[in-house]
Amino acid sequence: MPISNIKSSSDMHYQYMNATGELKYNMTNDYMFRMVLQRDKNTLINLISSVLDLPLSVIEDVKIENSVEPGKAISDKEYQLDILVLLNGNTYINLEMQVVNYDNWTNRSLAYLCRRFDNAARGKDYNTIKPVYHVSFLDFTLFEDHPEFFAKYQVRNAIDNYLYTNNFNLYVIELNHTNIATDNDKRLGIDKWAKLFKARTWEEIKMITQDNPSMDSAAESIYLSNSDFAIQEQCRAREDAIAHEKYQKEQLEEKERQIENLSAQNKTLTAESVSLSAEISRLTKLLEDNGIKH
């Protein structure tokens, strides 16, 4: 249903409450993630409040610094769909949804964080640098030997854990590990946000939000964005692009396996050739020692 057919917020709420079945696109689609958070300030504020453990009363303003026109196509060169938020005019928060594991997230997220941390205006003292948070929502396990639902990383002393600065923060939320959310994660409602992002049906969304009224606005924004044909098309384009990226990654991995196998075979053949040469030399010497010419 086109967005223009939704006549009022009450009409939209009624239609959302009567929605059933599967969503066309949930918020693990990074385009949908951006559209929902960009179009609904309430959702953005409530999410930041949960993740940063900030009372709503201290959040005076949130401004998205890299807005995208809803439904606007994004070129291949612009396929970085992170959301850069300026909180209260003095703190940068980078929010990013990532569902494909390219085995480079630690370096990639640090690169994003460092670029944003370098925010002192030219000629200004480094003490004017604004604090930065990079918040990754991952639909995979970052460290297989250390699964964690909500991890916070900072620069600290390697010996006694003394904090170097609280201006440089990297948060990782693994959407597939809500089962190991801590009591504090649950107190902040971060596990509920993760479940909302991954919900595939309207029934799931309603169940998640029924005891969490702060998420009602998010649910309605998800419905509104799913009702917009132009946004649907861009979400589909993102899924196609991700599927292509995954295929390319699998093909590259298969080529690397083939090269490794060929290398191993070559080493085996080389070893066999060396062994055969040594055996020929041994037999030749044995013949010569016995006065037999060859």
Side-chain angles (χ1 to χ4, degrees), residues 47 50-53 137 149-150 152 173 175 178 181 184-195 197 215:
L47 177 62
S50 291
V51 174
L52 269 60
D53 193 8
F137 295 93
F149 172 60
F150 183 21
K152 300 179 182 180
I173 298 169
L175 303 179
T178 53
N184 192 54
D185 298 334
K186 294 175 182 177
R187 175 185 68 81
L188 296 171
I190 300 172
D191 60 322
K192 293 294 191 297
W193 283 108
K195 291 174 183 177
F197 293 166
M215 293 183 176

Side-chain angles (χ1 to χ4, degrees), residues 81-148:
L81 281 169
D82 59 311
I83 304 170
L84 178 60
V85 180
L86 182 59
L87 170 66
N88 293 344
N90 60 17
T91 301
Y92 282 117
I93 306 166
N94 213 51
L95 303 169
E96 186 154 11
M97 176 67 69
Q98 181 71 22
V99 298
V100 181
N101 185 4
Y102 295 107
D103 300 320
N104 65 1
W105 194 253
T106 51
N107 288 334
R108 182 174 165 184
S109 57
L110 274 173
Y112 291 165
L113 183 61
C114 290
R115 288 172 198 161
R116 185 48 50 197
F117 187 72
D118 186 14
N119 61 61
R122 179 172 294 184
K124 296 293 183 179
D125 189 274
Y126 283 106
N127 286 325
T128 64
I129 283 179
K130 294 178 175 63
V132 175
Y133 294 80
H134 186 281
V135 183
S136 309
F137 295 93
L138 307 182
D139 201 20
F140 56 85
T141 303
L142 184 58
F143 302 116
E144 291 294 340
D145 60 344
H146 190 67
E148 194 169 7

